[in-house]
Amino acid sequence: MVYHNTSDRFNWSISQQPRKNCLDRLTNDILLDCVMSHLDILDIIRLRQVSKLYYELTHHAALWKRLLKTSGLHLPPVPHTSRYTTQKMTGLEAERMVCRAYSLQQNWERQSPRCHRQWEFNAHYRVLEMTLLPGGRYLIASVSDREGLKYAIVVYAMDAIGSARAIAKTDTATKAYGIRAKYVTIKGQKSIAIAYLRRDYHHKSDKRKAHQGLLPNASYYSTYHDIDPDIEFRHECVAISARLLALEALADLSWDLDPAHFLEETKKLPPPFESLVQITSGPAHRLMCPDIEEIFDSAHLVVAKYPNDIVLKRLDGGSCTIVTCMPISEFAQCVSR
């Protein structure tokens, strides 16, 4: 005898008659909306192992989308595009997000949290600095070639363990350091705002000497320690954006393409990067600690300017705002970082 358990959302049949007073006698809607609403995430995973019926039911998108809203977990941030809204997210994507948040919370609450896995991938460049966007979808890196002569910002798509790849690159004149990245909305477009510092020789004569090999490349000086070179530097804080729709289109290209065909396909797509703002300072006023902040519902580039100024500039254009911090006597001898 075949028992049919049907509803407008699900259709499943089993090849034997359910036992009396068994949960299997309930409709799928009742099981999903009533019974499973009282189960926590671990109970649902365990229920999945009971039978084929519960295996199918515990994979239902409605179950995991409800948990997204009601679990109370600190969910990992995702790119702000329509693909990652609850309506368009697949059941598998919702389940992965909930289970990842649950696993991270359980591990974090351990007395000694542990690293579950680590993996490597070929970056194809020398990575100087990097920052991972919330949710782990994109990694932004400051890179150079092996000789340390060419520098760039590269976006990596972290789609699966061991299979990350570079999908977009924009050159920088010198080494980019102090990288910050954040999901923002700029001029109505969902984007990743990327801020970084760079420096170059202040005088043209010094630049010519560097090209002739009489002076070292400006990027060779340390950016992690205080230095007092005899040469004067010009400092820049740069903000660019990478449009999420363009990055998603690049990430969706087939992984089977060889580098030449991949580059051909990228030329058919709109360029992902756009220059936003730039703050420049002379030798006496070093720039440091860049960041991207939401101020009055607008994204701003914020950077400290030695010795006691903070410069703010809207990423969608406009004039600068400078906040001057008054010196405090007890901290006058402290080194600014």
Side-chain angles (χ1 to χ4, degrees), residues 138-182:
Y138 297 107
L139 183 143
I140 315 297
S142 169
V143 303
S144 74
D145 59 3
R146 292 184 178 181
E147 293 76 21
L149 299 176
K150 296 181 180 179
Y151 299 87
I153 296 290
V154 176
V155 180
Y156 294 90
M158 314 292 284
D159 288 316
I161 293 176
S163 59
R165 65 171 175 176
I167 58 172
K169 184 184 81 166
T170 181
D171 294 331
T172 60
T174 55
K175 178 174 66 176
Y177 62 98
I179 295 178
R180 298 291 185 272
K182 188 174 184 178

Side-chain angles (χ1 to χ4, degrees), residues 11 37 39 57 209 233 297 303:
N11 192 351
S37 63
L39 303 180
L57 284 175
K209 291 179 181 178
F233 288 104
D297 298 326
V303 63

